[in-house]
């Protein structure tokens, strides 16, 4: 039993509020326990230089935290410069979403994914990906309806979940308190079918054996299955 | 009758959700029509150099917009550098709140006011001030309860509202569509008693006579009265 | 009687030296007591993106202080980044001048107003506006003479003056010593006819009643009248 | 057979030149085929704020590319700002080395790992880690000899290697040409015993099944074994 | 005969206005023909880290141009970042003045030299040095009078002048038009005795023989002699 | 006899390794004693705005030091911003090389010279120039061979050497230990014929007489002669 009453293989309550922002082509408020992320999708009729005149589109992501999303106030990146951690996370979000979309069907457009963490209680990067996928699906739905897209560019359903080892025990979906004690930190980004899009795993204290990796993989597959079912329901009702 | 059905002297529906963020010492979600601002207060046990060893505290504010708070996506200030407009607004918020607080009662602490605009439909600076005052009152209440403050440093109740002239008619609390057509733009920051904390008024098209200023002043006094009553109720129920 | 011998409603000696810089299309040295500002106007055959192909021109301003314009040396903004205060002031200067010019008569040109404070003894923003208006008038005169403008784009004569309350007394045109003690700080930007272009007023210590505002307004109207007469004479003799 | 004549499970020729720089506490030139990285270790008698007075030390890394390490010249990060990719890589290098060192044995010192890519032909991040581990071992040896360290803080031997899938075939240690065609990109950081320190794997084109991951894992284990043997020999002869 | 009527070995009219700024410890307006530089000296009771607790003082310089000191407006360095040319010039000014001062007599103080070019017509760096020396001498005089310095730290009198070759002819003190055509550009910083403090000479078009250098040297010696006589007179009358 | 066994007029051992980098159009590793600089030349099919449509080309240089090229680690300029010293040096390198090349023969191309100091033991700027000239000659040779240049744009052979005075004695080619004690620091950039391209000389302690300059000049002429002979041999064998 974990401090917040969960079993080791249990994810936190998930709530995805679609159409959270008025102006964005797609948006959700993604809640994973106390972690809350605003995910929005903005469409720009322009691609980066390396894609000009190729007919292909692009997906890019930006990630940031509101100053008081954290226990102590975090200074704004407009003052400090963008931090390495934010770059690392937003690159992960962008790569993950590009892997499940047919960029050739986007037209010469850039889809900007903005993930702004309103409240951070662990798992902000996985919540961002899980929420951003829904926001992107909503944006595609809108552009399809408006005739701006001829065909749905979404190839696969995508979600992400963290695993870790705390006090020798392997846990699914760590909250902040668990995360700050974890010996291992892993993030799995997978499709609804359990195929791999991105894996990042880190030994925070000591190198660890492959058996531990296997245990985390199995928890992650279970978590991804549950998340993709929730996403599905949200899209059906949106 | 205005496009959204309001009378010229009518403010938009106001909703102030207290304790909106989990970690902040004080916070609200401030909604003024479709304009939504997250206002949070963070306490730091440290003052700027010019106040060191004076026993006095400080209040400072930061203002920013989420990238998709606007009709078109606005690039992040972590990429572009903080904009002049944001500096201007956050300086206004900070000055306004300092004017209604007894800084000598804060102890050697800095109170950081963060106003992050989630959705911008006109009046973001006035909504920020009105909401920040409630968040600050909540933070003082918390510190008083915890014995960290001996006496309530809040001297006056504060709110802010915009006025403007559109198509020759003077209006209270302009939304984005009205604001973008306005010939005059004015922001009034006043106490519940109608005393002046800050006035900023600008001729957007042509210089204008003092009679017009008088009309705006009267509308503003009405708006401030209504806003401070709403604030009062929120604090009573929080 | 004030420390420097002035009556409460008296502005400091004003000296405006036209054609102060050799290369600028228009320029003055603006002296308001010991406050000295170099105001120059530069014409660029290009407008910001939002005005492209509209046939309209633009006016924009930049404000900065020489490092030793102040009692203590101020580090350069090329080292520290542009400060919020400078942004706030230069935005005020730009807005004020745009309000008295017919931008449609400028052609697709940007008029850059540079206000560089050589010596700061209070009132630098009002001196900047009063001086910049003369420099802009001189630039228009030059371009009219050269046939680059067909018609004078200047619609109104503009000046600015500060008021404040010190030790309970309302004063016109505060110098640095007065300003640093002031309970209220106000800046009035008006036309020669006394119409409003911009008002900014701030309670530095305590919120204040509207009667005080009325007193400042009346002083300001007197000051603006005197300043616009001086501007007029300078232009006649330049 | 690969274009450069290697078998799918074959790493490129490795050359590690110890003591490559004169002033650094430890340094190597790491060559992995045509990829060349200068790895240096610098010791500073100071730790980051969060470790002050804990008695513990810290290891941090910086990664950069010389402008003409690449096919086309890459603008310097002193002009463009540090790129997201560089942040991501240097954070990986730092985390990996910290995982194999007993920070409590470092004293209150920071060990700076600098990895500067002189020539980039794929695998720069794995070459950086493999080389940096040797440079760090050399630095520890030097400080032990000088009596500045009482005990060797190195707990495990560490190396890194990339895997990928190109044209449906799983390959070990991709060079630039292979990397730019790869469908999957994976980096394995492991100890000599094959324990996991960090895994990062990315679907560049399509999500992929776990069987492919297993194949990459097995190649990586083979590569790590060979690299750690080479490191061992270099240290014996240095 | 040169375009402006000067002989090849003739410097432009020099005017040095002492006590040009009200607050600075020392200041002049330095005019060399149409080139005008405001030179000020500010004293700070603090030295850079490398001089802490040595009892020695420091002299450092900053150089900048007002935006409309030039034929076309030059964007501000607060927007563009400090330019290489400005760094090069301010480093030259600082080195030159340190070479003629006994830093051990300054106390633990930094003397900031600010050279702000109001109007640029060639020779701004030499005018800056010549003017800054007078401003520094005035600052020393003030601190001696106030008892803050026990002994005059100034060891030598210093001036600077440019030479160049235009159309095959060697000229002294080039103005902007000459400078933009020059085949050779040289700056000589020397003491009143003709000893060398700094020489910088550059072939702008073609490498040149040592005979040409000799000619420039002789012109420079003449120019320095005249400048130091003017400085002397200014100091006597200030 | 100097500490490292050299006579006062003796340069350190020189080693120039051509084709040091695989991708650059021209490159060398330049070794001057323990000073080691990687010099590379990159060709870009584009010129700066001021040369557009003139048919002329451009040469520009960038100089930087690896963080552990120095006795103590130097923070990266990507973190601190480019330093004044680096700007000064890279401007010198660029100017020097432009003076010996016929820019009209380059076509509308920019030749980027990158000088990255791997190890710094004094004389990095002169080693950079001497090495960069060879790298540029190699790049021209390559482009001539490929038919991209019709005619060799190199007009003169160029080298650079430092002189200085240490303990009253004039020395050629100072190493770091000598340089840090030097009373005078001079850098001579000359052609093989001994014509002047750039001279920079600085009094580090006291102004000095012209006789000392003459002594340095003569040493420099000797050094340049030897360096240009070595360059010649390298080019013959490359």
């Amino acid at each position: 039993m974990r401090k917040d009453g969960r079993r080791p293989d249990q994810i936190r309550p998930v709530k995805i509020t679609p159409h959270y922002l008025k102006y964005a082509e797609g948006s959700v408020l993604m809640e994973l326990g106390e972690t809350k992320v605003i995910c929005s999708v903005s469409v720009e009729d322009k691609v980066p230089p390396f894609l000009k005149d190729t007919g292909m589109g692009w997906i890019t992501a930006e990630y940031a935290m509101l100053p008081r999303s954290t226990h102590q106030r975090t200074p704004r990146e407009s003052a400090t410069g963008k931090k390495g951690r934010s770059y690392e996370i937003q690159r992960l979000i962008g790569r993950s979403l590009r892997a499940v979309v047919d960029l050739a069907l986007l037209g010469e457009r850039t889809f900007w994914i903005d993930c702004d963490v309103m409240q951070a209680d662990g798992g902000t990067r996985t919540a961002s990906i899980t929420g951003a996928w829904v926001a992107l699906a909503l944006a595609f739905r809108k552009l399809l309806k408006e005739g701006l897209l001829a065909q749905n560019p979404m190839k696969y359903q995508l979600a992400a979940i963290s695993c870790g080892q705390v006090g020798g025990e392997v846990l699914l979906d760590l909250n902040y308190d668990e995360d700050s004690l974890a010996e291992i930190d892993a993030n799995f980004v997978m499709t609804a079918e359990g195929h791999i899009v991105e894996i990042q795993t880190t030994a925070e204290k000591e190198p660890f054996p492959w058996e531990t990796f296997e245990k985390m993989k199995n928890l992650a597959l279970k978590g991804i299955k549950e998340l993709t079912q929730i996403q599905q329901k949200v899209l059906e009702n949106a």
Side-chain angles (χ1 to χ4, degrees), chain A:
Chain A
M1 201 68 132
R2 292 151 81 172
K3 274 220 177 124
D4 59 4
R6 285 188 286 154
R7 296 183 314 274
D9 68 348
Q10 195 179 351
I11 61 173
R12 290 174 283 177
V14 174
K15 189 173 164 199
I16 304 179
T17 309
H19 309 309
Y20 189 66
L21 297 181
K22 186 184 176 180
Y23 306 123
E25 275 77 10
S27 66
V28 305
L29 174 66
M30 172 74 198
E31 297 178 70
L32 180 64
E34 292 286 346
T35 290
K36 303 184 187 185
V37 186
I38 305 172
C39 304
S40 75
V41 174
S42 301
V43 183
E44 189 188 22
D45 284 330
K46 192 168 112 169
V47 286
F50 67 92
L51 283 181
K52 232 170 176 178
D53 302 319
T54 63
M56 287 183 64
W58 191 241
I59 296 172
T60 189
E62 292 195 355
Y63 167 97
M65 304 180 92
L66 288 193
R68 200 52 196 281
S69 59
T70 45
H71 284 72
Q72 305 298 322
R73 185 180 184 273
T74 307
R76 289 172 190 271
E77 293 183 333
S78 58
T80 61
K82 191 123 199 134
K83 275 172 294 192
R85 177 182 173 276
S86 299
Y87 276 119
E88 193 177 286
I89 294 176
Q90 71 188 26
R91 285 166 57 85
L92 167 64
I93 300 169
R95 278 197 311 267
S96 297
L97 286 161
R98 286 194 296 274
V100 297
V101 169
D102 186 341
L103 301 177
L105 296 180
L106 296 179
E108 286 217 358
R109 294 188 183 96
T110 298
F111 286 70
W112 290 84
I113 313 286
D114 284 292
C115 297
D116 285 273
V117 179
M118 195 195 280
Q119 201 160 274
D121 189 27
T124 64
R125 79 185 70 190
T126 59
S128 293
I129 292 170
T130 305
W133 184 84
V134 179
L136 189 57
L138 291 171
F140 287 163
R141 186 183 287 185
K142 182 171 190 290
L143 270 71
L144 283 162
K145 210 172 140 187
E146 294 172 352
L148 294 168
L149 289 176
Q151 198 179 336
N152 193 343
M154 193 70 88
K155 298 190 296 181
Y156 304 100
Q157 190 180 343
L158 184 83
I161 197 71
S162 78
C163 291
Q165 182 185 292
V166 182
E169 190 174 18
V170 172
L171 303 177
L172 184 63
D173 185 24
L174 281 61
N175 65 20
Y176 178 83
D177 287 340
E178 292 169 338
D179 192 47
S180 48
L181 296 169
E183 296 113 37
I184 305 173
D185 186 20
N187 291 287
F188 292 85
V189 188
M190 287 193 265
T191 62
E193 298 78 29
H195 282 197
I196 299 170
V197 167
E198 182 108 19
I199 298 172
Q200 293 189 340
T201 178
T202 302
E204 299 280 354
K205 303 272 155 69
E206 287 273 317
F208 61 91
W210 281 91
E211 299 84 68
T212 308
F213 182 82
E214 287 299 314
K215 284 185 204 162
M216 296 196 298
K217 165 192 163 182
N218 291 329
L219 286 188
L221 283 165
K222 173 174 181 297
I224 294 289
K225 204 171 166 183
E226 293 169 17
L227 287 168
T228 49
Q229 286 167 350
I230 294 166
Q231 288 175 324
Q232 208 50 50
K233 239 178 265 170
V234 170
L235 281 184
E236 280 161 21
N237 300 325

